[in-house]
Amino acid sequence: MNKKIYYISGAITTLAFLILALFVKIDFTHGPFPFDRPIQTWAFHLQSSSGLTYFFSHMTNIFGDKGGIIVAVLLALVLYLLFNANCKMKLATLSQAKNI
């Protein structure tokens, strides 16, 4: 009984996605969505920012492509460890266990 519900909801969701994709393909291939205009202008202004271009070009020159990916992953890991409460407790227990 439970599997039937999942199959039915999966089929309905797939059908809704296909209808939405067809709607987008038919009506909105000539230009961007109306709500995308402010996002596009904001992104254009970010691309023409000399400070950001200077920073990221130097970062790319120093680290390269693979190094940049490694730095980004390490930064994401550090941010995750800083802001996740469970990880804070685990790190505290690890540091206490190391002191013993």
Side-chain angles (χ1 to χ4, degrees):
M1 179 70 181
N2 200 13
K3 287 185 179 182
K4 281 186 178 181
I5 293 172
Y6 288 127
Y7 287 138
I8 290 171
S9 63
I12 290 172
T13 306
T14 304
L15 184 64
F17 175 75
L18 290 174
I19 290 171
L20 179 66
L22 186 65
F23 175 70
V24 168
K25 175 74 175 160
I26 290 172
D27 289 336
F28 293 107
T29 53
H30 61 277
F33 289 124
F35 63 86
D36 283 344
R37 185 88 46 215
I39 297 171
Q40 287 177 348
T41 56
W42 178 68
F44 178 73
H45 289 299
L46 279 180
Q47 285 179 344
S48 60
S49 171
S50 62
L52 287 175
T53 304
Y54 179 79
F55 172 75
F56 285 113
S57 63
H58 282 295
M59 188 172 165
T60 304
N61 288 336
I62 292 170
F63 295 114
D65 292 335
K66 292 178 185 174
I69 292 171
I70 292 171
V71 168
V73 168
L74 289 176
L75 182 65
L77 180 67
V78 166
L79 289 175
Y80 175 76
L81 292 175
L82 285 175
F83 291 110
N84 192 349
N86 290 334
C87 286
K88 283 183 183 179
M89 290 174 36
K90 289 178 186 176
L91 288 175
T93 17
L94 285 176
S95 65
Q96 287 176 356
K98 186 173 65 171
N99 290 336
I100 294 176

